[in-house]
C-alpha cells in the first residue's frame, strides 16, 4: 500500500500579472494556549425507572440551559465556559484538574411546563486542543502530529461552535441567525432574510474567519392556506389555484416541517404532509362524522374553503389549512417553481454589493464584542482581507488553419469559424415529443434550415438537409417512438442512423429527457441531442444554433479547438500525457448504490475522451476496482495514439476533507496497479489533483472595472493566506461569471511524480478550461472534470433501471478476472434479490455503437 505524502505548499510566486483581490475572509487572533472541550450530559432523575439512559437524557435546549445555569450558580468556575446549549462546552482554563477524576456531577431541581423535579448534570473532559500545534500547522508543518488526521478539523469545529454562539447578535429563527435589517419583501408569501454563516479556517501563517450569506425565505402569512395560495400565485390573481389536489401537489414540499397552531392542540405541531382530498371529504378523528361537522360542533368553526386540502400534522391529526395558524417567524425549507426562481433572482447580488453585505455581517459580529469570543481570547479583524493574486496568461487557441480570437480572455465566437475537426452528418431524423400545436412542422422545418446553414458555415458537413420529422407525444412509448425514427433515418439515408434530434415540450420534466437518454444509450445505440420546442421558434438567439452544432460535432467524433502552442517545456503536449478525471454519483433507482465514472483523453492534445462506468452495489465515495478502469483507459489511449503515456494527470471531483486521505490512498494505489496490468514495471509519472466547487470562498477585484462589476478576470489565481498551509493548493477563477460573484475552483495537489513547477501545473489546469468543446467560453473547471460529472449522471441511465441482468452488465469476474464482493446493510439488504447473495461490481457498458465516443458530452 502506497503511503500518501502530500506535496508541500510552495512559496508564493507570480509568473503572471500581479493582482489584488478582496476576499470574504477576516484574520483571527487566538490568545488562548489551549482549548478544553467538555461533554455535558443532563438526565431527568424523575424519569420512569424502566426508561433507558437515552430516554432519560434531556434533549430540549431550554431545559438544558436552565439546568446549566443552576449548576453555574453552584460552581462559579463554570462561568469561564462557553456552553453551546446542547452537549458541549468550551473554555481556555483547565477546570477538571480541580475535580476528582475528569468529570464532576451536579444535582439540580428545576420545574417547567414539560418537566419537573430533579436533574443531574455530568460535565466531563473530552479533549484538549493545543494552539501551538495549530500554529505549526499554519506554518506548513506536515510532520506535526495532526497534519493528516482529524485534529485540526476537530479544533476548527470547536471554534466554529464558539463563533456560531457569538453570532446571536441577529434574530434567531429555526436555529438560524438571520438579519432583519436587510429584509427583502416578495409577493410569494414570504420575506427574504439574510442568513449569515461564520466558519473558521486554518490558513497560511494564520487562522481566518470565512463569512458567507444565504437568502432565506421566512413565512409572513397568517395561515397555511394563505401561504399555499401565495406560493402558487405570487400575488397574481390569474394564477390562484382553487383545486385542492393541485394545490397540495404544488405546495406540499414547501409546507412540510412548518410548525402551526391548531384548534384543540395545546402546543405547536409540525406539518408532515397534505391530503389529496378536499376538506369537505375529510373525516373527523374517530371517522364517525365529516371533519366539517366536527369542527362546527366542537370548536364552532366553519371550513369556508372546503375545496382546499388539509394538513397532516406530526401526530397524524388532520387540520384544514385555513385553521393552521402560523404564529411565529419560521423558515420555509424548500421552494419550487416561480417562488424558487424569484428568490434566486432577488439574492443574486453583484460582486461589490455581495462583499458590502458580508462586510456588514462581519462588522455586526465584531462591533458587539461577544462574551463568547472574549472568554476564549478570540479577536477578529474588523475588515475583510485583501490578498495577493496573479492573472495567468490565456492560451492561444487554434482550429487547425487559423487562430481563434479570444475576447476579454474568456470567450470567443465560433459561428463564423470552422471547427478543428468537423464531421459528417448524413443519417439523422427529428423526433418531436410534443403536439403539432406547440411545434408545427413548418416551424420545425424553418428551424432546421437555420441549423443546417450554421453547421455548414462552421464546417460540419450535413449530407441530408431535409431529415425525416417524426411526431410522437410523450404519453406514448418513448422507446417505440425513437425506434421508428431511427429506422426512418436509416431508410432515408441508406446508412445506419447517426443522430436523433429530439424536440421536447417547453415545460417537460426531467423524466422525459432521462428516458430518451436511457433508451438511446442502452437499446438503440444512437446519439441524441435534445432541445425544447420553445427554442425552435423564430427570433431565438443565433448563438443557440452554434451551440447545437458544437454538441453534435463533438458527439459524432469531432473537436472544436485545440491549444495552438505551448509556453514551456513542461506543458501539456511536451511529453505523451493522458488526462483522466473521475467522479462518483449516488442513486436509489436500484437500491442505495453508487455509480463511478472515469473519462480519459485519447489524443495528445487532450481534446477527445472516452468514458467508463462502474456500478458499486453499495454507497461508496471512493472508486473500487479503479485499476481495471485505468487499464481500459490506457488501452484506448494506445490504440488512438500508438504511444503509452509517460505522464498521467488525474483530476478527481467530489472529495471532502474527511474522505480525502482514504480516497487518495485507495485510488493512487489503483492508478499504479492499473498501469502494472498493462505491462509489468510500467510506471508513468502520476499527478493527482482534487478539484472542489462546493465551498464558500469568494474573491472580487479589489479595484476592478465597474463596467465588469468587479468580478475577477479569467485566470485569476490565489495561492495566499486562505489556501491549505501544508498541501500544494490554489484557487482559480478560470471564467468570469455573467451573474453574481464568480465561484473559483479550489485545487489540492495530492501527489506529483512529475514534480511540476507550481506555475506550470496551474497553467496546464487553466489551459484545460479552454477545451470544453460545447461552449464558446472558458469553463469553470478543466473540461475532463465536466465530462466525468456528466458521465456519472448518464451512467445511472446506463444501468437500464435494474442492473441485475448479467446480459446487460459486464461482470468483472468474466472480463478482468477481478471479483469484488460487498454485502448491503440495513433496509436495502432486506430488499436485495436473494439469488444474489454476494453483490458484484459491474463495468456498465454503453451500447456497442456508442462505445469509445463522447456520447456524454
Amino acid at each position: 500500500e502506497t503511503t500518501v505524502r502530500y506535496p508541500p505548499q510552495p512559496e508564493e510566486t507570480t509568473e503572471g500579472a500581479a493582482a489584488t483581490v478582496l476576499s470574504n475572509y477576516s484574520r483571527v487572533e487566538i490568545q488562548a494556549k489551549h482549548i478544553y472541550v467538555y461533554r455535558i450530559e443532563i438526565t431527568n432523575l424523575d424519569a420512569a425507572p424502566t426508561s433507558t439512559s437515552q430516554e432519560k437524557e434531556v434533549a430540549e435546549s431550554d431545559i438544558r440551559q436552565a439546568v446549566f445555569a443552576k449548576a453555574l450558580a453552584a460552581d462559579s468556575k463554570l462561568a469561564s465556559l462557553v456552553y453551546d446549549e446542547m452537549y458541549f462546552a468550551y473554555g481556555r482554563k483547565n477546570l477538571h484538574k480541580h475535580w476528582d477524576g475528569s468529570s464532576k456531577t451536579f444535582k439540580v431541581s428545576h420545574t417547567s411546563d414539560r418537566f419537573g423535579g430533579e436533574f443531574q448534570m455530568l460535565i466531563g473532559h473530552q479533549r484538549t486542543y493545543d494552539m501551538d500545534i495549530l500554529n505549526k500547522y499554519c506554518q506548513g508543518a506536515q510532520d506535526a502530529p495532526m497534519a493528516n488526521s482529524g485534529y485540526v478539523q476537530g479544533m476548527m469545529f470547536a471554534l466554529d461552535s464558539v463563533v456560531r454562539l457569538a453570532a446571536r447578535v441577529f434574530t434567531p429563527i429555526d436555529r438560524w441567525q438571520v438579519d432583519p435589517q436587510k429584509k427583502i419583501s416578495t409577493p410569494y408569501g414570504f420575506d427574504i432574510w439574510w442568513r449569515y454563516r461564520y466558519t473558521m479556517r486554518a490558513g497560511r501563517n494564520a487562522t481566518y474567519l470565512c463569512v458567507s450569506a444565504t437568502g432565506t425565505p421566512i413565512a409572513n402569512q397568517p395561515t397555511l392556506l394563505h401561504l399555499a395560495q401565495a406560493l402558487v400565485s405570487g400575488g397574481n390573481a390569474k394564477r390562484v389555484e382553487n383545486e385542492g389536489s393541485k394545490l397540495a401537489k404544488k405546495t406540499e414540499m414547501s409546507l412540510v416541517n412548518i410548525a402551526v397552531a391548531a384548534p384543540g392542540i395545546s402546543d405547536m405541531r409540525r406539518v408532515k404532509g397534505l391530503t389529496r382530498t378536499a376538506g369537505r371529504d375529510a373525516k373527523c378523528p374517530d371517522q364517525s362524522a365529516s371533519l366539517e361537522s366536527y369542527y362546527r360542533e366542537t370548536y364552532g368553526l366553519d371550513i369556508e374553503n372546503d375545496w382546499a386540502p388539509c394538513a397532516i400534522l406530526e401526530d397524524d391529526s388532520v387540520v384544514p389549512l385555513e385553521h393552521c395558524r402560523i404564529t411565529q417567524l419560521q423558515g420555509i425549507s424548500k421552494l419550487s417553481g416561480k417562488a424558487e426562481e424569484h428568490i434566486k433572482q432577488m439574492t443574486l447580488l453583484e460582486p461589490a454589493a455581495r462583499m458590502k453585505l458580508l462586510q456588514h455581517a462581519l462588522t455586526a459580529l465584531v462591533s458587539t464584542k461577544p462574551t463568547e469570543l472574549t472568554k476564549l481570547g478570540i479577536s477578529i479583524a474588523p475588515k475583510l482581507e485583501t490578498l495577493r493574486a496573479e492573472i495567468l496568461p490565456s492560451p492561444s487557441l487554434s482550429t487547425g488553419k487559423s487562430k481563434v480570437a479570444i475576447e476579454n480572455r474568456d470567450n470567443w465566437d465560433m459561428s463564423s469559424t470552422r471547427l478543428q475537426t468537423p464531421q459528417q452528418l448524413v443519417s439523422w431524423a427529428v423526433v418531436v415529443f410534443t403536439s403539432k400545436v406547440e411545434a408545427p412542422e413548418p416551424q420545425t422545418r424553418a428551424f432546421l434550415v437555420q441549423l443546417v446553414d450554421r453547421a455548414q458555415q462552421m464546417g460540419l458537413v450535413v449530407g441530408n438537409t431535409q431529415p425525416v420529422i417524426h411526431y410522437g407525444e410523450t404519453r406514448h412509448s418513448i422507446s417505440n417512438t425513437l425506434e421508428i425514427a431511427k429506422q426512418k433515418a436509416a431508410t432515408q439515408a441508406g446508412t445506419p442512423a447517426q443522430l436523433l434530434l429530439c424536440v421536447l415540450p417547453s415545460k417537460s420534466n426531467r423524466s422525459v429527457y432521462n428516458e430518451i437518454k436511457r433508451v438511446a444509450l442502452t437499446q438503440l445505440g444512437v446519439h441524441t441531442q435534445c432541445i425544447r420546442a420553445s427554442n425552435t421558434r423564430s427570433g431565438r438567439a443565433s448563438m443557440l444554433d452554434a451551440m447545437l452544432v458544437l454538441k453534435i460535432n463533438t458527439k459524432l467524433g469531432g473537436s472544436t479547438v485545440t491549444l495552438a502552442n505551448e509556453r514551456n517545456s513542461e506543458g501539456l503536449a511536451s511529453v505523451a500525457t493522458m488526462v483522466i478525471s473521475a467522479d462518483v454519483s449516488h442513486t436509489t433507482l436500484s437500491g442505495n448504490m453508487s455509480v463511478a465514472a472515469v473519462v480519459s483523453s485519447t489524443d495528445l492534445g487532450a481534446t477527445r475522451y472516452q468514458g467508463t462506468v462502474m456500478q458499486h452495489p453499495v454507497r461508496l465515495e471512493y472508486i473500487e476496482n479503479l485499476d481495471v478502469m485505468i487499464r481500459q483507459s490506457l488501452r484506448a489511449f494506445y490504440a488512438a495514439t500508438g504511444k503509452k503515456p509517460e505522464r498521467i494527470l488525474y483530476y478527481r471531483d467530489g472529495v471532502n476533507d474527511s474522505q480525502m486521505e482514504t480516497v487518495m490512498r485507495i485510488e493512487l494505489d489503483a492508478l499504479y496497479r492499473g498501469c502494472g496490468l498493462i505491462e509489468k514495471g510500467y510506471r508513468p509519472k502520476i499527478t493527482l489533483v482534487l478539484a472542489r466547487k462546493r465551498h464558500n470562498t469568494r474573491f472580487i477585484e479589489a479595484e476592478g472595472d465597474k463596467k465588469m462589476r468587479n468580478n475577477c478576470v479569467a485566470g485569476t489565481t490565489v495561492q495566499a493566506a486562505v489556501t491549505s498551509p501544508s498541501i500544494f493548493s490554489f484557487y482559480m477563477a478560470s471564467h468570469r461569471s455573467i451573474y453574481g460573484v464568480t465561484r473559483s475552483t479550489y485545487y489540492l495537489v495530492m501527489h506529483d511524480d512529475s514534480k511540476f513547477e507550481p506555475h506550470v501545473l496551474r497553467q496546464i489546469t487553466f489551459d484545460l478550461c479552454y477545451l470544453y468543446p460545447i461552449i464558446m467560453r472558458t469553463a469553470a473547471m478543466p473540461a475532463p472534470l465536466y465530462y466525468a460529472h456528466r458521465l456519472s449522471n448518464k451512467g445511472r441511465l446506463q444501468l437500464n433501471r435494474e442492473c441485475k441482468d448479467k446480459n446487460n452488465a459486464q461482470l468483472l469476474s468474466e472480463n478482468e478476472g477481478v471479483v469484488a464482493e460487498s454485502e448491503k446493510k440495513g433496509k436495502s439488504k432486506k430488499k436485495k434479490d436473494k439469488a444474489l447473495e454476494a453483490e458484484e461490481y459491474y463495468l456498465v457498458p454503453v451500447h456497442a455503437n456508442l462505445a469509445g465516443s463522447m456520447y456524454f458530452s
Side-chain angles (χ1 to χ4, degrees):
E1 182 179 341
T2 302
T3 300
V4 177
R5 177 72 177 179
Y6 304 131
Q9 185 70 282
E11 295 295 326
E12 293 182 39
T13 59
T14 305
E15 298 292 330
T20 305
V21 296
L22 177 65
S23 71
N24 61 333
Y25 284 84
S26 177
R27 195 180 182 100
V28 176
E29 299 290 342
I30 304 175
Q31 297 177 1
K33 293 184 177 180
H34 298 86
I35 293 181
Y36 299 94
V37 182
Y38 294 93
R39 170 81 181 184
I40 308 294
E41 296 180 7
I42 298 178
T43 54
N44 185 0
L45 298 179
D46 289 341
T50 57
S51 300
T52 63
S53 58
Q54 186 175 1
E55 291 172 338
K56 293 179 180 180
E57 180 84 11
V58 178
E60 290 75 8
S61 176
D62 56 341
I63 304 298
R64 297 182 70 91
Q65 291 179 60
V67 172
F68 185 85
K70 292 190 175 182
L72 174 60
D75 187 348
S76 60
K77 292 181 180 178
L78 298 182
S80 64
L81 295 177
V82 177
Y83 179 42
D84 70 357
E85 301 171 358
M86 288 303 293
Y87 301 105
F88 294 98
Y90 309 92
R92 60 190 296 187
K93 295 181 179 179
N94 184 346
L95 301 183
H96 56 280
K97 69 180 181 180
H98 303 292
W99 303 340
D100 293 333
S102 61
S103 63
K104 186 175 182 179
T105 301
F106 298 85
K107 290 189 176 180
V108 174
S109 298
H110 177 71
T111 303
S112 70
D113 295 337
R114 286 164 291 175
F115 295 95
E118 297 295 320
F119 294 85
Q120 176 177 286
M121 188 186 86
L122 175 67
I123 177 171
H125 174 247
Q126 179 155 326
R127 188 159 193 178
T128 301
Y129 290 110
D130 189 341
M131 292 298 107
D132 284 340
I133 295 181
L134 176 62
N135 293 333
K136 290 179 181 178
Y137 176 78
C138 291
Q139 296 296 324
Q142 276 201 31
D143 54 352
M146 69 327 137
N148 299 328
S149 69
Y151 189 94
V152 172
Q153 292 181 24
M155 191 183 304
M156 293 300 108
F157 178 83
L159 293 172
D160 279 347
S161 299
V162 174
V163 174
R164 193 160 46 244
L165 294 167
R168 290 181 296 186
V169 295
F170 302 108
T171 303
I173 296 179
D174 292 343
R175 293 180 295 178
W176 301 335
Q177 298 295 324
V178 294
D179 186 358
Q181 296 182 19
K182 303 289 184 178
K183 182 171 64 175
I184 304 172
S185 299
T186 77
Y188 289 93
F190 59 83
D191 296 324
I192 302 172
W193 294 34
W194 287 105
R195 173 164 55 102
Y196 302 125
R197 180 180 180 183
Y198 304 90
T199 308
M200 300 290 283
R201 179 163 183 169
R204 300 184 71 172
N205 302 314
T207 304
Y208 293 88
L209 178 72
C210 178
V211 186
S212 58
T214 304
T216 303
I218 305 296
N220 61 9
Q221 299 295 301
T223 69
L224 281 187
L225 181 60
H226 287 90
L227 178 57
Q229 287 285 26
L231 286 170
V232 172
S233 68
N236 188 340
K238 294 182 179 179
R239 294 207 301 261
V240 172
E241 183 60 71
N242 291 319
E243 186 176 333
S245 60
K246 290 185 178 179
L247 185 67
K249 184 178 179 180
K250 292 178 180 179
T251 62
E252 182 177 45
M253 179 176 67
S254 301
L255 301 185
V256 165
N257 288 328
I258 291 181
V260 297
I265 299 176
S266 59
D267 54 355
M268 305 283 285
R269 302 288 172 86
R270 293 195 178 273
V271 177
K272 187 169 68 173
L274 299 182
T275 64
R276 292 298 185 268
T277 57
R280 68 172 74 95
D281 300 322
K283 297 292 185 180
C284 66
D286 62 2
Q287 301 293 313
S288 61
S290 68
L291 187 67
E292 195 170 12
S293 61
Y294 174 79
Y295 262 71
R296 186 179 302 112
E297 295 172 3
T298 307
Y299 307 116
L301 298 172
D302 292 325
I303 304 179
E304 297 180 2
N305 299 279
D306 58 358
W307 57 269
C310 296
I312 305 172
L313 305 185
E314 56 186 325
D315 60 353
D316 293 326
S317 59
V318 177
V319 181
L321 287 186
E322 63 189 79
H323 294 309
C324 292
R325 303 187 310 278
I326 305 174
T327 60
Q328 63 185 27
L329 291 173
Q330 52 189 306
I332 302 173
S333 56
K334 292 183 180 180
L335 293 173
S336 61
K338 292 187 178 296
E340 183 180 23
E341 294 174 6
H342 186 76
I343 192 171
K344 288 181 180 178
Q345 180 181 2
M346 298 301 293
T347 57
L348 191 63
L349 301 181
E350 292 193 354
R354 171 71 64 172
M355 286 301 184
K356 184 177 180 181
L357 176 69
L358 298 182
Q359 180 61 64
H360 162 77
L362 177 62
T363 302
L365 173 66
V366 174
S367 62
T368 55
K369 298 181 180 179
T371 57
E372 292 85 355
L373 300 182
T374 304
K375 287 181 179 181
L376 269 70
I378 299 174
S379 59
I380 302 172
K383 295 290 185 181
L384 295 175
E385 195 84 359
T386 300
L387 305 175
R388 294 186 303 275
E390 71 168 321
I391 302 175
L392 301 177
S394 56
S396 296
L397 300 180
S398 170
T399 60
K401 296 182 179 180
S402 60
K403 288 189 176 182
V404 177
I406 301 176
E407 302 175 4
N408 298 321
R409 297 177 49 85
D410 67 349
N411 66 88
W412 53 93
D413 186 3
M414 290 291 298
S415 58
S416 59
T417 305
R418 293 182 66 84
L419 299 162
Q420 164 74 12
T421 52
Q423 299 298 296
Q424 289 188 349
L425 179 59
V426 178
S427 181
W428 62 306
V430 179
V431 192
V432 185
F433 286 98
T434 187
S435 66
K436 292 186 177 181
V437 175
E438 185 179 19
E441 187 167 342
Q443 172 185 304
T444 306
R445 284 290 178 196
F447 159 71
L448 291 176
V449 170
Q450 294 184 39
L451 180 63
V452 170
D453 287 346
R454 181 52 55 86
Q456 292 176 341
Q457 290 174 17
M458 299 173 66
L460 179 64
V461 180
V462 182
N464 178 13
T465 59
Q466 295 288 326
V468 172
I469 298 179
H470 178 68
Y471 281 82
E473 297 186 12
T474 55
R475 66 174 178 270
H476 300 144
S477 170
I478 291 177
S479 177
N480 291 340
T481 299
L482 292 173
E483 178 65 39
I484 294 170
K486 177 186 175 184
Q487 293 175 359
K488 287 184 176 181
T491 301
Q492 183 187 37
T495 184
Q498 297 171 276
L499 175 75
L500 297 179
L501 182 61
C502 302
V503 181
L504 308 184
S506 299
K507 296 184 178 180
S508 65
N509 56 35
R510 191 73 179 176
S511 61
V512 175
Y513 172 86
N514 286 343
E515 182 64 6
I516 290 172
K517 292 297 182 180
R518 184 191 70 83
V519 171
L521 294 177
T522 60
Q523 298 177 17
L524 302 183
V526 62
H527 291 293
T528 56
Q529 180 60 55
C530 296
I531 183 173
R532 292 191 183 276
S534 57
N535 289 328
T536 65
R537 299 167 188 159
S538 60
R540 69 187 179 280
S542 60
M543 190 66 68
L544 178 62
D545 294 337
M547 299 284 285
L548 284 173
V549 173
L550 295 180
K551 291 185 177 184
I552 292 170
N553 186 65
T554 301
K555 289 177 180 179
L556 294 180
S559 59
T560 303
V561 296
T562 187
L563 297 175
N565 54 55
E566 295 290 333
R567 280 177 295 271
N568 52 70
S569 60
E570 295 183 300
L572 191 61
S574 58
V575 298
T577 302
M578 182 169 70
V579 182
I580 302 177
S581 185
D583 196 7
V584 177
S585 64
H586 307 291
T587 178
T588 56
L589 291 177
S590 300
N592 191 22
M593 65 173 60
S594 299
V595 176
V598 173
V599 298
S600 59
S601 60
T602 56
D603 66 340
L604 297 177
T607 60
R608 297 293 304 171
Y609 290 79
Q610 68 89 38
T612 308
V613 178
M614 173 80 71
Q615 172 196 331
H616 291 164
V618 292
R619 189 183 183 98
L620 294 175
E621 294 299 336
Y622 61 87
I623 302 177
E624 189 65 75
N625 291 324
L626 177 62
D627 53 345
V628 175
M629 304 173 79
I630 295 301
R631 179 162 74 172
Q632 288 198 351
S633 297
L634 291 166
R635 286 173 173 171
F637 185 88
Y638 184 81
T641 65
K643 298 181 178 181
K644 290 186 296 185
E646 300 176 37
R647 186 170 63 189
I648 293 177
L649 290 180
Y650 181 72
Y651 289 92
R652 180 65 158 89
D653 193 11
V655 180
N656 61 34
D657 284 340
S658 62
Q659 303 158 349
M660 187 171 68
E661 186 176 2
T662 300
V663 170
M664 290 306 101
R665 181 177 288 111
I666 291 174
E667 294 186 10
L668 182 61
D669 280 342
L671 287 168
Y672 286 123
R673 287 199 309 271
C675 295
L677 292 176
I678 292 292
E679 180 182 334
K680 188 175 182 180
Y682 172 54
R683 192 180 177 94
K685 296 178 180 179
I686 295 176
T687 300
L688 193 154
V689 183
L690 293 187
R692 293 180 185 169
K693 287 288 285 183
R694 295 183 179 179
H695 57 76
N696 293 317
T697 301
R698 299 291 184 273
F699 305 106
I700 69 170
E701 290 182 344
E703 297 179 357
D705 183 355
K706 292 184 178 179
K707 292 182 180 179
M708 298 304 293
R709 303 179 351 267
N710 295 96
N711 253 331
C712 295
V713 301
T716 300
T717 304
V718 176
Q719 45 182 320
V722 296
T723 56
S724 171
S726 61
I727 303 174
F728 178 16
S729 57
F730 54 92
Y731 287 94
M732 180 185 293
S734 55
H735 73 304
R736 193 167 201 163
S737 181
I738 301 174
Y739 305 105
V741 182
T742 299
R743 179 179 295 185
S744 304
T745 302
Y746 185 42
Y747 299 95
L748 295 101
V749 182
M750 312 307 295
H751 184 79
D752 183 20
D753 288 333
S754 295
K755 302 196 182 304
F756 282 109
E757 289 294 328
H759 71 276
V760 173
L761 185 55
R762 289 194 291 265
Q763 188 67 56
I764 290 175
T765 301
F766 184 43
D767 290 352
L768 286 170
C769 297
Y770 283 77
L771 298 181
Y772 194 39
I774 65 176
I775 59 175
M776 291 176 284
R777 58 184 297 116
T778 55
M781 297 186 295
L785 282 167
Y786 276 103
Y787 295 143
H789 179 71
R790 292 173 69 94
L791 182 57
S792 67
N793 289 328
K794 283 187 169 59
R796 291 181 290 182
L797 306 177
Q798 289 176 227
L799 295 179
N800 213 7
R801 295 191 186 278
E802 295 287 338
C803 194
K804 292 186 177 180
D805 183 0
K806 296 184 181 182
N807 294 322
N808 288 333
Q810 195 173 12
L811 270 175
L812 287 180
S813 57
E814 299 171 356
N815 186 52
E816 305 293 351
V818 179
V819 177
E821 298 183 352
S822 176
E823 186 174 328
K824 289 187 177 180
K825 299 179 180 180
K827 295 182 180 179
S828 60
K829 183 178 179 181
K830 298 179 181 179
K831 298 179 181 179
K832 186 174 62 174
D833 187 350
K834 294 181 180 179
L836 292 174
E837 293 296 330
E839 293 284 7
E840 293 151 315
Y841 291 79
Y842 289 98
L843 278 175
V844 184
V846 69
H847 194 281
N849 293 350
L850 303 178
S853 71
M854 292 180 64
Y855 64 90
F856 44 80
S857 63

